[in-house]
Amino acid sequence: MVEISIFILLVFMIIGMVFVLEMKNLLSAVVMMGAIDFGLSVIFLLLSAPDLAIVQIAVAVISLVIMIRATIHREIVETPSQESTFSSRVVMLCFLFLFFILIYPAFSLLPIFGEPIFAESASSSMKYLLEGMTQTGSPNIVTAIVLDFRAYDTLGEAIVLFTSVLGAVSVLRYRNRKKPGSST
Amino acid sequence: MTGMTIIVKTVAEWIKGFIIFYGVYIVLLGHLSPGGGFAGGVIIACSFIMMELAFGKDQAAKELSKHGSHLLDEYGALAILFLGLLGYFLPKLPFFSNVLMQKFSFIPFHILSAGSIPLINLAIGLKVSTGLYSVYIYLSHYDPRMQEDE
């Protein structure tokens, strides 16, 4: 049942992607991206990953607002439709065929859907699942791993966000001479 | 009179507190239920962005200015680093070790449990909310024409 729901949502997301790529209006494409993000969040929820679903829907909403704000003031230009010639389509189909041939062995090596990969008791993820609650005191195993066992990676992610904030501030700053005291 | 219509302003004023409350709830209970510092921080940033959209930039600058949000972002990063350095206060412990969990005994499944994990969650929530808000406010207030007359 979960697989069927995920399959339906994936088909919906692929149709949405095609609409995003083909749409002439920039604002409609941005709104369609929001629908795709919502579908992805529901997929995470069906795969019983509520932490990831919350983060996905919140980041999708915030990026949607930023993108709408960025596109709604620009004059929306219709992109000139490029006439795709017959040879370019043939080349594209050849590359798709080659891609599927090359990636087929990797697909056959994947485990069955829903099978736990690291189920052996000796693996590190099993150790986290067994001892995470007693060692960190946190019933949410995701938080226990992210903020205790792998807290150094979380520090790296925080530094990545800090660097992006610094980049935005330093690129988009004003040098306003009229009001030197005000911090704009 | 900048901002949107009076309907949007009234509704934004009503639901602002609920959104911030929900974000703080997700941050504070990050070690017990789904969520955590990042998700809660993004939700808090959403409420700030909603207020900025509804009331315009002048009213939003009164509540949390550009400079203030940037400063809070830096304080959040410093708090995460300080909580990581707590591991060095005890001998033979690595960086980011859960010192409070080993020094004190907590009752599990309570808010005050899991040692320093809720504190790191709070720091990440502060950092993410103010950082995303400052990125948004710098992106949306940027006007290329003001750069030229320098």
Side-chain angles (χ1 to χ4, degrees), chain A residues 5-6 8-10 12-13 16-17 30-46 52-64:
Chain A
S5 325
I6 289 174
I8 294 170
L9 278 168
L10 281 176
F12 164 71
M13 282 170 63
M17 292 280 181
V30 168
V31 173
M32 201 65 218
M33 276 299 292
I36 294 167
D37 286 330
F38 190 72
L40 186 59
S41 167
V42 174
I43 285 179
F44 284 146
L45 208 56
L46 284 175
L52 212 51
I54 293 175
V55 171
Q56 167 68 30
I57 197 66
V59 172
V61 164
I62 210 168
S63 61
L64 197 69

Side-chain angles (χ1 to χ4, degrees), chain A residues 5-184:
Chain A
S5 325
I6 289 174
F7 186 74
I8 294 170
L9 278 168
L10 281 176
V11 169
F12 164 71
M13 282 170 63
I14 289 173
I15 294 172
M17 292 280 181
V18 173
F19 270 107
V20 167
L21 287 177
E22 294 296 326
M23 218 165 252
K24 294 282 188 289
N25 196 341
L26 214 54
L27 193 59
S28 309
V30 168
V31 173
M32 201 65 218
M33 276 299 292
I36 294 167
D37 286 330
F38 190 72
L40 186 59
S41 167
V42 174
I43 285 179
F44 284 146
L45 208 56
L46 284 175
L47 289 173
S48 59
D51 294 81
L52 212 51
I54 293 175
V55 171
Q56 167 68 30
I57 197 66
V59 172
V61 164
I62 210 168
S63 61
L64 197 69
V65 168
I66 289 178
M67 279 196 286
I68 286 178
R69 181 84 181 194
T71 54
I72 204 167
H73 288 305
R74 311 281 182 273
E75 47 185 60
I76 295 169
V77 186
E78 292 209 352
T79 52
S81 58
Q82 294 166 345
E83 294 292 325
S84 58
T85 57
F86 180 71
S87 61
S88 71
R89 291 194 177 206
V90 168
V91 168
M92 188 186 77
L93 283 179
C94 284
F95 268 106
L96 269 180
F97 186 66
L98 198 65
F99 179 73
F100 275 114
I101 284 179
L102 289 179
I103 210 157
Y104 183 72
F107 276 150
S108 60
L109 283 180
L110 283 177
I112 309 164
F113 184 80
E115 288 271 311
I117 305 173
F118 302 110
E120 297 87 22
S121 59
S123 69
S124 60
S125 60
M126 204 63 199
K127 186 170 180 296
Y128 290 158
L129 285 179
L130 287 175
E131 301 177 3
M133 172 67 204
T134 52
Q135 282 197 1
T136 67
S138 158
N140 188 359
I141 297 296
V142 177
T143 306
I145 292 174
V146 164
L147 292 183
D148 197 301
F149 294 118
R150 292 272 176 264
Y152 197 58
D153 297 344
T154 309
L155 180 69
E157 290 168 17
I159 288 173
V160 166
L161 186 65
F162 183 65
T163 316
S164 69
V165 173
L166 274 186
V169 169
S170 57
V171 169
L172 300 173
R173 72 191 184 282
Y174 288 144
R175 292 194 207 91
N176 207 341
R177 278 186 191 166
K178 292 175 183 173
K179 291 181 287 183
S182 69
S183 57
T184 48

Side-chain angles (χ1 to χ4, degrees), chain B residues 5 8 15 19 23 37 48 51 59 80-81 95 102 107 115 137:
Chain B
T5 60
V8 179
I15 66 175
I19 297 177
F48 281 127
M51 290 307 283
Q59 184 70 29
I80 298 170
L81 261 182
F95 192 46
Q102 297 174 8
I107 313 163
I137 212 165

Side-chain angles (χ1 to χ4, degrees), chain B residues 50-63:
Chain B
M50 182 188 72
M51 290 307 283
E52 199 273 342
L53 281 174
F55 285 93
K57 68 171 80 167
D58 297 329
Q59 184 70 29
K62 277 181 200 164
E63 299 194 359

Side-chain angles (χ1 to χ4, degrees), chain A residues 66 161 164-166 168-169 172, chain B residues 69 130-140:
Chain A
I66 289 178
L161 186 65
S164 69
V165 173
L166 274 186
V169 169
L172 300 173
Chain B
S69 63
T130 53
L132 278 180
Y133 178 63
S134 63
V135 164
Y136 170 76
I137 212 165
Y138 271 93
L139 276 175
S140 70

Side-chain angles (χ1 to χ4, degrees), chain B residues 89-105:
Chain B
F89 288 161
L90 290 184
K92 292 180 188 173
L93 275 183
F95 192 46
F96 262 116
S97 59
N98 204 336
V99 180
L100 296 175
M101 187 68 191
Q102 297 174 8
K103 288 288 269 187
F104 307 102
S105 61

